[in-house]
Amino acid sequence: MGDEDYNTSLAYDDYSDDFDPIMVLEESSPLEGKVARIFLVVVYSIVCFLGILGNGLVIIIATFKMKKTVNTIWFLNLAVADFLFNIFLPIHITYAAMDYHWVFGTAMCKISNFLLIHNMYTSVFLLTVISFDRCISVLLPVWSQNHRSVRLAYVACMVIWVLAFFLSSPSLVFRDTAHVHGKISCFNNFSLSAAGSAPWPAHTRLDPVGFSRHMVVTVTRFLCGFLVPVLIITACYFTIVCKLRRNRLAKTKKPFKIIVTIIITFFLCWCPYHTLYLLELHHAAVPGSVFSLGLPLATAIAIANSCMNPILYVFMGQDFRKFKVALFSRLVNALSEDTGHSSYPSHRSFTKMSSMNERETSML
């Protein structure tokens, strides 16, 4: 094996980690590594606190304080997906605080990464279904009124969770632990070699099968977890805007602002993550500093999305400049905004239902 082959394979292995930045940080200077580690601990701690508190509150309100509607089911499932990931976030806070020494075992290494990717898929699939639901409600209001049901929403959510599970399952297969420089690392073992049989990363060196698996997993995540949903959601909202402008339904703009903001926030948070992991497939053409500093930052931004939605509900559920509405009322108002049923003023039943929600909100 020549020096060039050795360096290339080492670089590939160094940048093959999908969640923690241990190997890429070791390529940076000690100061950069320490700053990045402290940054991750702080960000993860804030996200964990806000995520558990906010999503837990949304789950309680949507489950016990509100009538089950299609809208509340969408938002409830978004909150549950985020909450499940947030309760495991202290593990990663500990991992970073211990200078990237994984003490939680191989099984937890697999589960923790699985939850991150599952959270991504569940969230983006729910946002896609919500967008499609909005589009149908605007284009076919009568059909939507007759067929849009809570039962159908539950079935859609069940399909989303199962599909997200299968697409996230590579984490349960390829995630592994190994001793590296006196520490235990949680990393992606795409070659499925015995991690303890050779000094890591030598056991995956120059493995074309491992690289192929790495490429398939990364490209699949980008297509299914980002690009295809972006195209579908964009098409849905472009259709909605065209329909509303054609019918001059200006009053329908406000109810859309929450879900549109949630969608934009999701893709802004996950765009750097997908971009860097696509670049990782061609790491030789990219400076190492891009990965050593970019990957921890991109991962932290992606993780931050798990606490964003409750904050958006509070700030956008009603006019935030008017400090007359209690926190619970803001959340209830945000979760009960049903854009599909308020799209056409000519449908009195829709308007009446919306008015009832508003009155219920003011009474809480």
Side-chain angles (χ1 to χ4, degrees):
M1 180 186 300
D3 291 340
E4 183 178 352
D5 292 337
Y6 177 87
N7 292 333
T8 301
S9 63
L10 183 61
Y12 162 72
D13 289 313
D14 283 348
Y15 304 134
S16 65
D17 191 355
D18 235 3
F19 186 86
D20 64 82
I22 178 172
M23 296 305 295
V24 292
L25 288 182
E26 288 181 353
E27 294 297 311
S28 60
S29 68
L31 179 60
E32 289 176 344
K34 184 176 181 180
V35 170
R37 185 164 57 87
I38 295 174
F39 172 78
L40 290 181
V41 171
V42 172
V43 172
Y44 288 3
S45 299
I46 294 174
V47 170
C48 181
F49 174 76
L50 294 178
I52 292 177
L53 179 64
N55 289 299
L57 193 58
V58 169
I59 292 172
I60 292 173
I61 292 175
T63 303
F64 301 106
K65 300 291 185 179
M66 299 182 65
K67 181 180 178 180
K68 291 295 181 295
T69 65
V70 174
N71 251 29
T72 56
I73 291 171
W74 298 145
F75 291 123
L76 174 60
N77 277 267
L78 276 173
V80 170
D82 289 335
F83 186 82
L84 285 176
F85 174 70
N86 288 139
I87 60 177
F88 279 85
L89 204 48
I91 293 177
H92 302 288
I93 296 173
T94 305
Y95 184 41
M98 295 180 64
D99 199 16
Y100 306 110
H101 177 53
W102 187 266
V103 295
F104 304 103
T106 302
M108 192 57 68
C109 172
K110 295 176 181 290
I111 293 172
S112 61
N113 187 251
F114 168 84
L115 287 174
L116 171 66
I117 306 304
H118 187 273
N119 172 259
M120 176 195 73
Y121 279 123
T122 306
S123 298
V124 74
F125 290 161
L126 281 168
L127 294 177
T128 304
V129 170
I130 291 172
S131 302
F132 185 75
D133 176 44
R134 300 292 191 267
C135 188
I136 295 299
S137 297
V138 170
L139 295 180
L140 304 171
V142 177
W143 185 93
S144 178
Q145 182 185 19
N146 294 329
H147 296 86
R148 188 175 184 264
S149 65
V150 170
R151 181 179 178 182
L152 186 60
Y154 275 122
V155 172
C157 290
M158 186 179 299
V159 172
I160 287 173
W161 281 81
V162 172
L163 182 59
F165 176 87
F166 283 109
L167 288 172
S168 307
S169 59
S171 294
L172 301 177
V173 177
F174 298 119
R175 208 65 177 167
D176 204 352
T177 57
H179 289 272
V180 185
H181 306 311
K183 302 175 186 176
I184 301 176
S185 174
C186 176
F187 71 106
N188 276 334
N189 185 2
F190 286 108
S191 69
L192 295 180
S193 302
S197 62
W200 187 78
H203 64 280
T204 57
R205 194 167 293 153
L206 293 180
D207 180 9
V209 176
F211 181 76
S212 298
R213 290 168 178 162
H214 182 194
M215 179 175 292
V216 169
V217 170
T218 302
V219 173
T220 300
R221 284 179 187 171
F222 173 70
L223 292 178
C224 297
F226 193 79
L227 183 60
V228 173
V230 164
L231 296 178
I232 295 175
I233 291 172
T234 301
C236 286
Y237 278 95
F238 180 78
T239 304
I240 290 172
V241 170
C242 290
K243 182 69 174 180
L244 297 184
R245 285 184 176 179
R246 190 180 306 122
N247 291 276
R248 298 180 179 179
L249 298 176
K251 293 182 179 180
T252 62
K253 291 181 178 179
K254 186 176 180 180
F256 281 101
K257 66 180 182 179
I258 292 180
I259 186 60
V260 171
T261 305
I262 291 173
I263 291 169
I264 292 175
T265 302
F266 177 88
F267 289 112
L268 287 178
C269 288
W270 281 97
C271 184
Y273 179 92
H274 288 289
T275 300
L276 282 174
Y277 280 103
L278 284 175
L279 289 175
E280 179 191 12
L281 296 174
H282 305 282
H283 58 269
V286 182
S289 59
V290 172
F291 297 105
S292 64
L293 298 178
L295 285 179
L297 179 61
T299 303
I301 294 174
I303 287 175
N305 182 252
S306 65
C307 74
M308 290 291 191
N309 292 349
I311 298 174
L312 296 177
Y313 299 153
V314 173
F315 276 76
M316 302 189 67
Q318 295 185 16
D319 189 352
F320 189 72
R321 290 171 296 181
K322 300 176 181 178
F323 294 91
K324 298 179 181 179
V325 185
L327 175 63
F328 265 52
S329 296
R330 291 184 186 279
L331 285 171
V332 172
N333 181 73
L335 298 177
S336 63
E337 280 187 336
D338 199 332
T339 61
H341 287 178
S342 61
S343 296
Y344 280 80
S346 60
H347 293 274
R348 295 182 179 180
S349 61
F350 292 5
T351 306
K352 182 179 179 181
M353 189 177 300
S354 178
S355 299
M356 290 175 61
N357 281 337
E358 291 179 3
R359 287 198 296 271
E360 292 174 359
T361 297
S362 62
M363 293 173 62
L364 294 176

